[in-house]
Amino acid sequence: MAEYKGVMVYGELLEGKISSLTTELLGCGRRLADELKEDLLCILVGDKLDEAPKKAIAFGADKVYTAEDPLLKEYQTDSYVTAMEKAVKDISPRVLLFGQTSVGRDLAPSLAFRLGTSLSMDCIELSIDPGTKLLQQTRPVYGGNARGTFTSETFPQMATVRKKAMSPLEPDESRKGEITPIKVELDPAKVKTKVLETVKEEVAGVKLEDAQAIVAGGRGIGSPDGFKQLEELAKALKGAVGASRPPCDNKWVPDTMQIGLTGKIVTPELYVAVGVSGASQHLAGCSGAKNIVAINKDPEANIFREARFGVVGDWKQVLPAFSEKVKELLAG
Ligand SMILES: Cc1cc2nc3c(=O)[nH]c(=O)nc-3n(C[C@H](O)[C@H](O)[C@H](O)COP(=O)(O)OP(=O)(O)OC[C@H]3O[C@@H](n4cnc5c(N)ncnc54)[C@H](O)[C@@H]3O)c2cc1C
């Protein structure tokens, strides 16, 4: 039986550079590897990896494995799963981490199935059990109302990790590490899908996922015009506007603004929920916010159970005064 050793991070690339979530995974992986007294490994898959392997070392990796092939130019399930299966079987890491991104959500389950191991998705905390050395994988359960911690006895121990749940290390360009190319044989005939076009999401201002302050509107906002008032507050906070599902379903705002179980997961410092009832499916996307402030006319609304601060009232009356005070405080 293979000896499983090391903590491996799947390094996701964005426009040729390692993503911020990958740097967070490397920060977390470094801590786990140190606890295990084993190496932190990073695997990078793509067409031309350029400076990415060196960056992974600067962010904490001891060894970087690279799989380069023209068939790996864009993410595509068949070619990426094949390349990763070969690499993971050759290297036999103890732990294998992915980001909870659209790539991670597709690649990690397919790979876990091929490797005959289990996987915990959307983890927010990872640690090593000192006795068994197994990975303890903590993730929200019951739509974000509770947390569950899981361990598995199959290897590699696989998890996907939510954005901003972990902290990256300060990059150190002088760090030394090993870069090892791995050969993957890919058969173009087995690649069943083709990327025809990549459409970039147009965002004016701060991206919802990156915003440190989010003003989110719910059904209680009542119209697209109402959202314009939320924009004003978001602008003052240098943040972004989000929404619960009904405003997106009603086409008051684009679907890309939806936060929740079937929308985006956000973890800002400040989340102002206006006219949002606090359904578990919505909280699944925002319960990682450091501070939730709720404005709702119903004192019994569930959002008040999650909120650190709450105002009971009609948002049309509360918001102008709230926004003015925020502007005043930020100016002072
Ligand atoms: C499988 C599944 C997936 C889902 N995924 C998501 C998801 O990703 N994201 C999501 O958000 N939902 C999702 N939902 C829907 C979710 O269950 C709720 O229906 C939804 O979150 C409710 O949105 P809301 O809070 O805006 O609306 P409501 O629940 O209707 O609440 C509106 C709130 O506004 C308040 N209000 C009304 N008028 C005012 C006023 N003038 N001033 C102040 N407050 C006012 C009301 O008191 C109420 O609390 C999903 C549901 C399912 C079944």
Side-chain angles (χ1 to χ4, degrees):
M1 203 180 88
E3 191 195 355
Y4 294 93
K5 252 186 150 185
V7 175
M8 178 178 267
V9 167
Y10 170 78
E12 209 170 304
L13 303 172
L14 282 181
E15 291 171 356
K17 299 199 167 92
I18 59 170
S19 68
S20 59
L21 178 51
T22 300
T23 66
E24 292 164 20
L25 293 180
L26 288 167
C28 159
R30 182 73 267 162
R31 173 175 55 79
L32 300 175
D34 289 345
E35 277 174 45
L36 287 162
K37 299 192 178 54
E38 293 180 4
D39 283 338
L40 174 60
L41 322 171
C42 178
I43 177 141
L44 295 167
V45 178
D47 178 17
K48 290 192 179 66
L49 295 168
D50 300 324
E51 291 298 296
K54 284 192 195 142
K55 283 280 168 213
I57 292 170
F59 277 98
D62 297 309
K63 291 182 184 163
V64 179
Y65 295 92
T66 58
E68 285 177 294
D69 191 289
L71 280 177
L72 299 168
K73 188 165 191 276
E74 276 121 359
Y75 177 73
Q76 200 283 339
T77 315
D78 300 310
S79 51
Y80 270 60
V81 174
T82 305
M84 282 298 289
E85 183 184 3
K86 159 94 173 66
V88 174
K89 282 184 173 163
D90 284 358
I91 302 160
S92 302
R94 178 193 292 274
V95 170
L96 179 53
L97 306 179
F98 292 80
Q100 174 77 3
T101 60
S102 47
V103 169
R105 285 149 91 155
D106 186 62
L107 178 57
S110 313
L111 183 64
F113 176 77
R114 291 230 195 148
L115 296 170
T117 188
S118 59
L119 163 75
S120 293
M121 303 216 34
D122 197 21
C123 292
I124 50 172
E125 240 174 72
L126 295 173
S127 59
I128 300 292
D129 182 314
T132 60
K133 288 196 169 182
L134 292 176
L135 183 69
Q136 295 184 307
Q137 306 148 30
T138 302
R139 47 159 308 201
V141 291
Y142 304 122
N145 288 328
R147 289 172 170 211
T149 299
F150 304 87
T151 50
S152 110
E153 297 200 342
T154 55
F155 291 89
Q157 313 238 287
M158 286 178 64
T160 68
V161 178
R162 187 181 280 197
K163 197 170 181 189
K164 294 206 191 134
M166 312 288 169
S167 305
L169 299 175
E170 275 302 313
D172 174 0
E173 305 290 340
S174 66
R175 261 187 117 256
K176 295 271 177 288
E178 259 175 62
I179 301 173
T180 310
I182 34 181
K183 222 174 156 33
V184 285
E185 310 262 317
L186 296 169
D187 176 358
K190 293 210 169 124
V191 179
K192 294 184 229 74
T193 55
K194 233 202 263 174
V195 177
L196 298 179
E197 190 189 2
T198 307
V199 182
K200 254 193 171 177
E201 183 188 332
E202 298 290 335
V203 184
V206 191
K207 251 175 112 182
L208 199 50
E209 301 91 315
D210 298 333
Q212 285 308 313
I214 291 176
V215 183
R219 199 200 305 269
I221 297 300
S223 69
D225 275 352
F227 271 84
K228 295 220 170 79
Q229 293 187 50
L230 303 191
E231 268 166 35
E232 217 180 281
L233 175 59
K235 208 166 147 203
L237 291 164
K238 296 195 174 54
V241 177
S244 64
R245 187 154 125 179
C248 303
D249 287 352
N250 292 334
K251 304 289 168 218
W252 302 342
V253 294
D255 291 341
T256 48
M257 277 167 62
Q258 186 179 319
I259 292 165
L261 194 64
T262 42
K264 290 183 174 161
I265 291 169
V266 295
T267 50
E269 288 291 321
L270 174 66
Y271 191 81
V272 186
V274 190
V276 173
S277 61
S280 61
Q281 294 89 352
H282 183 74
L283 294 173
C286 66
S287 57
K290 296 261 164 22
N291 298 288
I292 297 181
V293 175
I295 302 173
N296 196 304
K297 66 178 186 185
D298 175 7
E300 299 300 321
N302 191 52
I303 192 75
F304 289 123
R305 276 183 250 265
E306 289 286 320
R308 181 144 183 226
F309 303 102
V311 185
V312 178
D314 185 336
W315 70 268
K316 288 184 201 117
Q317 278 154 20
V318 176
L319 202 71
F322 187 90
S323 299
E324 273 318 301
K325 193 71 193 169
V326 165
K327 284 184 205 158
E328 194 187 307
L329 291 170
L330 289 174

